[in-house]
Amino acid sequence: MPRCQNCNFKWSWKDVMALSMKGKKECPNCQKRQYVSSRSTFWTTFLITMGFLMPMNVLRYYYEIGWPLIILAFVIYIPLVLMLTPFLYKLSNTGKRFGKTVE
């Protein structure tokens, strides 16, 4: 689980899920605003996307599985990913989008 950059408080899974939905949240311990780091956002998105697209493309091309199985795999994959992504996040004191600081 990620830790606050100010007080090193370890966030709970529930707090990190709320942070991921809004993009910013106050630390439950020190009340300083924390953001998901831009690097963490990039790598999480990359891993989620490639973790589904690459295997599905291989299965579709080589084994010719149908769209219903791909949709079923997607329906199973998304909740699993949503439960695991908070473990991949790192926190930051500043919010950045495309290299610019956002408040």
Side-chain angles (χ1 to χ4, degrees), residues 8-50:
N8 206 29
F9 178 75
K10 187 176 181 180
W11 285 39
S12 69
W13 183 85
K14 181 180 173 183
D15 289 331
V16 179
M17 284 304 290
L19 171 75
S20 68
M21 297 300 169
K22 294 180 182 177
K24 60 185 174 184
K25 187 170 175 16
E26 284 76 28
C27 173
N29 189 40
C30 68
Q31 306 305 320
K32 298 284 184 177
R33 185 170 287 171
Q34 295 289 292
Y35 303 88
V36 177
S37 71
S38 57
R39 177 180 239 174
S40 178
T41 302
F42 170 78
W43 282 110
T44 303
T45 305
F46 180 78
L47 290 172
I48 290 169
T49 305
M50 289 303 153

Side-chain angles (χ1 to χ4, degrees), residues 38 96-102:
S38 57
K96 290 191 176 184
R97 286 263 189 232
F98 307 111
K100 294 182 182 178
T101 303
V102 178

